[in-house]
Amino acid sequence: MTSSKFEPNDDILDFVIKKENGIKSLVDRSLEIIPNQCIQPKEHRLHKSQIDNQESIPTIDLTNFDDFNVEKSIQEAASKWGFFQIINHGIPIEVLDDLKDAAHKFFEFPAEEKVKYYKESYSAGESVLMFWSAIGDKNEKVLKWRDSIKHGSNPENDSNLWPSQTRNQVLEYQKWAKPLVKKLLEVLLKGLNVNEFDESLEPLLMGTVAININYYPPCPNPSITIGARRYCDVSCITLLFQDNTGGLYIRGTKGDNWIHVNPIKGALAVNIGDSLQIMSNDRYKSIEHCVAVDSSRARISVPLFVNPCFDSVIGPFSQMQKDGEKPVYKHVLFSDYWDYFFRKRPSGKASLDFAKI
């Protein structure tokens, strides 16, 4: 294509994926009409009629983290919603602001700078991966409105390979976030009668920690695109920082309604992943979520995924079965569940069938 603008029927996969320009570069070319290959099927779009403005997920103040009522609120939120926000969590606002600024700096660089970090495919635990829009699937036919970069789970050895624009900010955030994650998991385990988070449980619950930075460029027609389709996380838990643009929705409690996760300055969202739903024997719920994009503003989000080690075996905790509770899931190798999850996605909660008895 020699024209500086794209027509609806142009094949943009070559430009976006094969030439590793990403969605941001597409937008930079004065895009006025959404290319057909970015128009989502109706079943993947988020319609205004589905949005429930009467419900909202809990916001939990962690000022008194060890208070029984705070712990109970976390456990109840994980059980009913699978998603909640936390404030006064101890991570300085400056750390979050620096992370957001670093994300903008990286993604607003020219494509030829970002392409240095591009890979077409990846294996778990790699140090860095530029996903662009067809995340994890080089055969993607309809592109999501998002560019992403992954910072892997071994920063001690690999952070020198990370982009200079994000390296220090991600390392600083991870330094503050990991103790917070461990404390959240301790509280969640108490609700499952697992009262001690000893070293033997760390590989199972915090075996790998990876941080993605997602960039959702402004979109000329957000109603026919999507930043992220409806999906659950494979993780134990995910800690999410989002800027004030908004656009994150979770499936509500009433049929096919969706609830906006309203951005709160300095807050972090926490959601349960499939792995902890399996370990909790359905007491805690992973929840479908999706991302809508904005017509005038870019959106930044930074999920921190906390996963089991790949050689861990996940299944219901034995402590939960002392009172005769029947297991819903069998024990499976996490790497097998991971492979199945990513072959099936986006599949909502269907991946859990892999581990069900």
Side-chain angles (χ1 to χ4, degrees):
M1 289 173 238
T2 58
S3 171
S4 63
K5 292 188 179 181
F6 292 102
E7 298 299 323
N9 292 322
D10 286 341
D11 183 357
I12 64 165
L13 294 183
D14 180 69
F15 177 82
V16 173
I17 298 177
K18 293 179 182 178
K19 293 181 178 175
E20 301 116 26
N21 286 292
I23 293 291
K24 173 66 166 59
S25 293
L26 193 70
V27 173
D28 286 345
R29 293 179 67 162
S30 302
L31 189 70
E32 297 174 357
I33 300 173
I34 303 295
N36 290 340
Q37 287 167 310
C38 291
I39 298 176
Q40 292 289 329
K42 289 185 178 180
E43 64 269 22
H44 291 312
R45 302 178 199 170
L46 186 64
H47 301 280
K48 289 183 178 179
S49 61
Q50 297 174 289
I51 298 172
D52 187 343
N53 294 314
Q54 304 303 311
E55 283 195 297
S56 60
I57 64 170
T59 298
I60 301 173
D61 188 337
L62 300 188
T63 302
N64 298 311
F65 210 150
D66 295 322
D67 184 273
F68 173 79
N69 291 324
V70 173
E71 293 185 349
K72 201 70 178 173
S73 295
I74 292 171
Q75 294 159 4
E76 289 176 354
S79 178
K80 179 181 178 180
W81 296 97
F83 229 109
F84 54 96
Q85 295 201 80
I86 53 176
I87 58 175
N88 296 320
H89 43 66
I91 300 180
I93 191 68
E94 295 82 7
V95 172
L96 302 178
D97 285 342
D98 287 348
L99 193 61
K100 179 181 66 175
D101 292 344
H104 278 287
K105 185 175 181 180
F106 176 81
F107 283 105
E108 289 162 13
F109 257 36
E112 55 266 26
E113 291 294 323
K114 293 180 288 190
V115 74
K116 298 173 184 176
Y117 304 98
Y118 177 82
K119 290 185 181 178
E120 189 176 76
S121 61
Y122 75 104
S123 59
E126 281 192 309
S127 58
V128 66
L129 169 65
M130 191 66 197
F131 283 109
W132 299 118
S133 50
I135 293 182
D137 185 358
K138 64 181 179 182
N139 298 314
E140 186 74 69
K141 297 295 187 281
V142 181
L143 298 177
K144 296 172 279 293
W145 204 264
R146 173 184 58 187
D147 295 339
S148 296
I149 189 168
K150 170 180 179 274
H151 299 74
S153 57
N154 192 5
E156 291 82 5
N157 296 330
D158 297 330
S159 61
N160 62 310
L161 302 175
W162 296 355
S164 61
Q165 297 82 14
T166 62
R167 182 189 304 121
N168 291 338
Q169 293 81 0
V170 168
L171 288 171
E172 182 69 11
Y173 175 61
Q174 191 175 68
K175 181 185 78 175
W176 288 91
K178 288 180 74 172
L180 172 62
V181 164
K182 185 171 183 180
K183 183 67 175 175
L184 286 166
L185 285 168
E186 288 174 345
V187 170
L188 290 166
L189 289 181
K190 284 184 183 179
L192 305 176
N193 299 322
V194 182
N195 294 316
E196 186 176 0
F197 188 167
D198 58 25
E199 290 183 0
S200 67
L201 287 178
E202 289 212 19
L204 179 65
L205 295 163
M206 297 182 66
T208 66
V209 176
I211 295 177
N212 284 7
I213 299 179
N214 299 322
Y215 182 91
Y216 305 84
C219 178
N221 190 349
S223 66
I224 60 175
T225 60
I226 200 76
R229 293 181 194 156
R230 305 165 190 192
Y231 69 102
C232 296
D233 289 346
V234 72
S235 60
C236 289
I237 65 171
T238 301
L239 195 66
L240 177 75
F241 165 61
Q242 63 168 337
D243 66 11
N244 63 356
T245 302
L248 173 63
Y249 291 84
I250 73 160
R251 186 177 287 280
T253 59
K254 305 170 186 174
D256 195 31
N257 69 320
W258 290 81
I259 300 168
H260 188 224
V261 181
N262 291 307
I264 299 171
K265 179 70 173 177
L268 296 169
V270 181
N271 67 277
I272 305 302
D274 281 1
S275 294
L276 191 56
Q277 175 164 342
I278 291 169
M279 291 184 225
S280 72
N281 208 39
D282 278 348
R283 196 169 301 182
Y284 299 144
K285 303 292 195 299
S286 66
I287 193 75
E288 285 183 279
H289 46 291
C290 64
V291 177
V293 291
D294 192 89
S295 61
S296 59
R297 294 194 296 173
R299 176 180 184 266
I300 295 292
S301 72
V302 185
L304 182 149
F305 300 103
V306 184
N307 301 318
C309 281
F310 282 81
D311 59 358
S312 293
V313 175
I314 60 173
F317 285 115
S318 59
Q319 292 91 329
M320 301 180 60
Q321 299 171 41
K322 290 181 178 178
D323 296 327
E325 182 174 329
K326 300 294 183 183
V328 178
Y329 299 97
K330 56 192 175 185
H331 284 74
V332 298
L333 192 64
F334 177 65
S335 59
D336 290 342
Y337 187 77
W338 171 280
D339 290 343
Y340 183 81
F341 179 94
F342 284 99
R343 285 200 308 271
K344 292 283 289 185
R345 76 171 190 175
S347 61
K349 295 179 70 68
S351 298
L352 287 167
D353 292 341
F354 179 83
K356 283 188 176 177
I357 293 175

